[in-house]
Amino acid sequence: MRIFKTSLFSSVHTKHFSTNPNLTIFFNKYVDKTNIYAWNTVIAELARSGDSIEALKAFSSLRRLSLKPNRSTFPCTIKACSAISDVSSGKQTHQQSLIFGYENDLFVSSALIDMYSKCHELNDARKLFDKILCRNVVSWTSMISGYIQNDSAHNALLLFKDFLNKEVLMDPVVMVSALSACSRVSEAGITKGVHGLLIKNGFEGDLNVGNTLIDAYSKCGDMSVSKRVFDEMSWRDVVSWNSMIAIYAQNGQSMKALEVFYEMLKVGDVSYNVVTLSTVLLACAHSGALHLGKCIHELVIKMGLEENVVMSTSIIDMYCKCGEIKMARKTFDGMREKNVKSWTAMIAGYGKHGLAKEALAVFYEMHRAGVQPNYITFVSVLAACSHAGFVEEGRNFFSTMNQEFGIEPGAEHYSCMVDLLGQAGFLNEAFDLIKGMKVKPDVMVWGALLAACRIHKNIKLGDISAKKLFELDSSNCGYHLLLSNIYASAGRWDDVERMKISIKGKGLTKPPGFSLVEAKGRVHVFLVGDKEHPQHKEIYSYLEILSVKMHEAGYLPDTTSVLHDINEEEKESVIRVHSEKLAVAFGIMNTVPGTTIQVFKNLRVCGDCHKAIKFISKILNQDIVVRDSKRFHRFTNGTCSCEDYW
């Protein structure tokens, strides 16, 4: 009887089936090759160790010896098919299981459901599941997990609901699957319901359940509950710690991410790994914690992880976002192996620093190296063009990305193009581009147009873009403030007042602007008019001294960003205590003369602060780097790297 047609199961001598020499020697010397249990052990070990092709060859060999497989043979063989996504071999193994009478075996059926799901044959998996007359928790879990693996979380939850109506014994594994579905659906009510169910069944102490629950609540935007679950865990592994650090780092709470990392080091019962360090580097990148980032880099070198592509890419990203573009390039050049993410990180880093020529040079180098750019690569390239005002280059990249590389422009690409055209003054072209979009314009696209309208004081298009933004995201106060800024610059104070009333009537609040600066290994946070810092009196006194020197050097305050119809003296008082000025003053006071000051602001740096820091850099002969929400500004001897184009 001919059993397999696929070339994978071609004739193989038993003594050559394994890539593991020790296993081969042992099998050939000591094992009775007519013993199916010995074959099962070998297949299981090969499948477990990742030698899936060899496991399938071993199965082929035992069949050529006319041995009869049993219920332990098939699951490991099917697992090997799953591991390499070989649905053809999987179907043939399925056929063999039917021939030998295992049609109703739950152990085999669950493995087949898992195999079909991982091979993206979800209909076959569901047909098999529906044929099972008496399902156990394993078969239910396999099908629920199959839906999750195929991006069908809603169907997974519907099936879990059916499972709850059956008299089947529940276990922690099915709860983990249900919570995984919750994390993808991101509905707090469903997550809370499953949470209550697992408490009722006594699974809250299970480590895997706890880790998945942390993730599920974070995906619902409820980080406080994630932290409470984390704090209440009786035992945490590295996954628990990594999850909590990542949740904070990825949601803009870098300082809390670093606090969790420090707590992990303090507790000391779990060793950190590559994922931990990569996540901490992300937090360093967002918070500007360069000192800690450098320490992590040194640790990576000591651990021999510098050849790890993920690790090195994280280091590049950290240095780029902490203003150390030369260190980022040094790390990049030192990589033996680079993937598309590595190249993209370097392109994005140069772009953020306004070094568009260097960014495009890396892109061309990437192309010559034979690495195919992806969706994000072109977002980074277009953003680099936008930061430097490379209009023609941006137009060319946008028009050829689909033709030459097969990448259809998405909302992020359109947003970059609108920003590029808008900043350069081509507002009508930017508006026409939006009207011709193949995808629906989102808040990024309309926000880019509104920001350009503020720069060029275009009230007509400003009104249009703001109206669209109010429809898409009525709760965002920033759009109302941008429109108010446009009205204020035109002296339309009645319209400014109307916007104030609208903001108040909707109960909107402006996100607080803050600036971060690192000194002596610690990150210090400043708000506008901040008087909470222990050194606030000294900072204000020093700012007064600087203010006198700046005025003597010819500085005149730029009060156009003040959205109040008040006199100039009052406006000057408002802008004098902006967070970036406080951070710069503190940095200068607490570092050795000549040290480059690094400041990070969560919002766009205002025109007056930009102007003032240029004067400060010249008066003190000191380099100051400010990273705002859009890009980096390096102030040297009274000039800025952005050339006042931002």
Side-chain angles (χ1 to χ4, degrees):
M1 178 175 64
R2 189 174 182 181
I3 302 171
F4 296 110
K5 296 179 182 178
T6 174
S7 60
L8 182 61
F9 293 109
S10 59
S11 177
V12 183
H13 294 295
T14 56
K15 66 179 180 179
H16 295 303
F17 67 78
S18 176
T19 56
N20 185 329
N22 293 328
L23 187 61
T24 302
I25 293 169
F26 178 82
F27 186 82
N28 288 325
K29 189 171 182 179
Y30 298 108
V31 176
D32 177 6
K33 298 178 185 60
T34 63
N35 188 325
I36 188 61
Y37 299 103
W39 282 98
N40 288 349
T41 301
V42 170
I43 293 171
E45 176 60 25
L46 288 169
R48 186 198 62 77
S49 62
D51 288 339
S52 300
I53 292 177
E54 299 302 323
L56 297 182
K57 287 180 179 179
F59 181 77
S60 176
S61 296
L62 79 86
R63 288 299 301 124
R64 291 182 65 81
L65 293 172
S66 298
L67 291 178
K68 181 181 178 181
N70 60 25
R71 72 186 302 265
S72 297
T73 314
F74 285 107
C76 293
T77 306
I78 295 165
K79 179 183 177 183
C81 296
S82 303
I84 56 175
S85 299
D86 186 350
V87 70
S88 177
S89 296
K91 286 182 176 180
Q92 290 178 59
T93 310
H94 184 183
Q95 182 185 18
Q96 288 288 298
S97 70
L98 299 179
I99 291 171
F100 287 100
Y102 294 105
E103 181 178 4
N104 297 317
D105 188 282
L106 287 174
F107 195 33
V108 174
S109 295
S110 297
L112 285 168
I113 291 169
D114 179 66
M115 182 274 296
Y116 281 124
S117 298
K118 287 178 178 174
C119 292
H120 306 294
E121 298 285 345
L122 201 56
N123 289 334
D124 288 339
R126 185 59 198 248
K127 286 177 184 177
L128 182 59
F129 176 79
D130 290 338
K131 287 180 181 178
I132 300 174
L133 299 177
C134 185
R135 307 179 189 114
N136 62 5
V137 67
V138 178
S139 49
W140 281 96
T141 303
S142 297
M143 195 62 242
I144 293 169
S145 299
Y147 277 124
I148 296 168
Q149 290 161 6
N150 286 272
D151 299 322
S152 188
H154 280 96
N155 283 330
L157 289 173
L158 289 173
L159 190 62
F160 179 69
K161 185 178 179 181
D162 289 342
F163 165 76
L164 296 178
N165 294 326
K166 308 295 181 182
E167 294 183 2
V168 180
L169 186 65
M170 192 179 297
D171 68 5
V173 181
V174 74
M175 296 307 301
V176 167
S177 296
L179 288 169
S180 296
C182 290
S183 69
R184 287 161 175 79
V185 172
S186 302
E187 292 183 13
I190 297 175
T191 301
K192 287 178 181 178
V194 177
H195 189 182
L197 191 63
L198 68 88
I199 292 174
K200 181 180 177 181
N201 286 273
F203 298 138
E204 68 269 30
D206 183 89
L207 181 63
N208 291 328
V209 168
N211 288 340
T212 316
L213 189 60
I214 290 171
D215 181 64
Y217 273 117
S218 73
K219 292 297 195 309
C220 297
D222 206 335
M223 289 181 285
S224 61
V225 180
S226 290
K227 186 61 165 64
R228 188 162 70 242
V229 172
F230 175 81
D231 290 338
E232 291 174 355
M233 292 175 73
S234 56
W235 183 65
R236 309 177 190 120
D237 63 2
V238 68
V239 176
S240 318
W241 290 99
N242 289 351
S243 297
M244 206 63 240
I245 296 168
I247 286 167
Y248 283 133
Q250 292 166 3
N251 287 277
Q253 298 192 34
S254 299
M255 301 307 294
K256 288 188 176 182
L258 296 179
E259 287 173 8
V260 175
F261 177 61
Y262 291 137
E263 184 186 350
M264 178 184 184
L265 296 178
K266 184 179 178 181
V267 172
D269 59 350
V270 175
S271 298
Y272 47 77
N273 59 18
V274 170
V275 177
T276 316
L277 298 180
S278 294
T279 310
V280 172
L281 283 169
L282 177 65
C284 292
H286 288 170
S287 64
L290 178 60
H291 179 74
L292 177 58
K294 286 182 175 179
C295 290
I296 297 295
H297 189 183
E298 291 173 4
L299 186 61
V300 167
I301 294 171
K302 288 179 181 178
M303 294 172 67
L305 296 173
E306 65 267 34
E307 293 300 322
N308 184 293
V309 177
V310 174
M311 197 78 257
S312 292
T313 303
S314 297
I315 291 169
I316 291 168
D317 181 64
M318 181 274 296
Y319 277 129
C320 287
K321 289 177 179 174
C322 287
E324 291 286 347
I325 194 71
K326 290 182 180 178
M327 284 299 298
R329 184 60 196 244
K330 184 178 179 181
T331 303
F332 178 79
D333 289 339
M335 294 177 69
R336 293 183 184 177
E337 179 188 349
K338 303 179 181 78
N339 61 16
V340 65
K341 291 183 179 179
S342 315
W343 290 95
T344 301
M346 198 66 245
I347 293 168
Y350 275 132
K352 278 280 187 182
H353 284 260
L355 301 170
K357 289 182 180 178
E358 290 83 350
L360 299 187
V362 173
F363 176 81
Y364 295 130
E365 186 183 346
M366 172 188 180
H367 186 54
R368 287 193 298 271
V371 179
Q372 184 76 3
N374 63 15
Y375 186 97
I376 303 300
T377 307
F378 277 101
V379 172
S380 301
V381 168
L382 291 173
C385 293
S386 175
H387 291 314
F390 283 15
V391 177
E392 282 307 312
E393 291 86 345
R395 285 174 177 148
N396 289 334
F397 278 115
F398 186 76
S399 64
T400 60
M401 58 183 283
N402 186 22
Q403 297 171 8
E404 292 187 19
F405 299 97
I407 298 173
E408 190 73 30
E412 293 91 345
H413 303 108
Y414 281 104
S415 174
C416 290
M417 283 303 296
V418 170
D419 188 53
L420 169 62
L421 295 169
Q423 280 198 80
F426 298 98
L427 289 170
N428 290 328
E429 184 181 344
F431 187 46
D432 289 340
L433 183 66
I434 294 174
K435 289 189 289 186
M437 283 177 63
K438 294 181 180 180
V439 294
K440 185 179 179 181
D442 62 6
V443 292
M444 293 189 300
V445 175
W446 288 112
L449 182 61
L450 182 60
C453 291
R454 180 195 60 78
I455 295 170
H456 297 286
K457 302 178 175 58
N458 189 313
I459 296 174
K460 180 181 177 181
L461 287 179
D463 280 329
I464 293 171
S465 52
K467 182 180 178 181
K468 293 290 184 180
L469 286 164
F470 297 159
E471 292 172 0
L472 291 168
D473 186 5
S474 60
S475 64
N476 192 313
C477 185
Y479 306 137
H480 294 75
L481 294 173
L482 263 177
L483 187 58
S484 291
N485 198 304
I486 296 171
Y487 290 145
S489 64
R492 291 173 51 168
W493 297 109
D494 289 344
D495 287 322
V496 172
E497 188 62 30
R498 177 172 58 83
M499 294 307 299
K500 281 184 185 177
I501 294 170
S502 176
I503 291 170
K504 187 175 181 180
K506 294 177 181 178
L508 305 180
T509 55
K510 178 185 176 183
F514 62 83
S515 295
L516 309 173
V517 61
E518 188 179 34
K520 299 175 183 177
R522 288 186 57 201
V523 176
H524 299 258
V525 184
F526 292 91
L527 301 174
V528 60
D530 202 331
K531 292 188 177 180
E532 296 297 318
H533 195 276
Q535 288 183 256
H536 73 271
K537 290 182 180 179
E538 293 92 334
I539 294 169
Y540 279 81
S541 296
Y542 185 62
L543 271 178
E544 287 297 325
I545 295 170
L546 283 177
S547 180
V548 172
K549 292 182 178 179
M550 286 158 56
H551 279 86
E552 290 174 352
Y555 161 75
L556 293 174
D558 178 357
T559 59
T560 56
S561 62
V562 181
L563 304 182
H564 304 287
D565 188 12
I566 54 179
N567 63 48
E568 285 300 307
E569 187 176 340
E570 290 176 300
K571 288 183 179 181
E572 287 182 32
S573 297
V574 172
I575 62 176
R576 190 177 296 140
V577 291
H578 278 187
S579 65
E580 51 265 62
K581 289 193 180 80
L582 300 177
V584 166
F586 172 81
I588 294 169
M589 291 167 56
N590 289 273
T591 54
V592 177
T595 303
T596 299
I597 308 300
Q598 302 260 14
V599 174
F600 302 87
K601 184 170 182 181
N602 66 322
L603 304 177
R604 183 181 184 273
V605 64
C606 85
D608 180 69
C609 286
H610 191 269
K611 185 177 183 180
I613 297 170
K614 284 199 291 185
F615 274 91
I616 294 171
S617 72
K618 186 172 184 178
I619 292 167
L620 300 179
N621 191 27
Q622 188 161 14
D623 284 3
I624 301 168
V625 176
V626 177
R627 187 189 82 191
D628 67 7
S629 59
K630 280 183 69 73
R631 59 170 298 156
F632 275 89
H633 304 263
R634 180 175 284 273
F635 300 90
T636 304
N637 194 31
T639 63
C640 179
S641 59
C642 75
E643 299 180 354
D644 298 336
Y645 187 86
W646 91 101

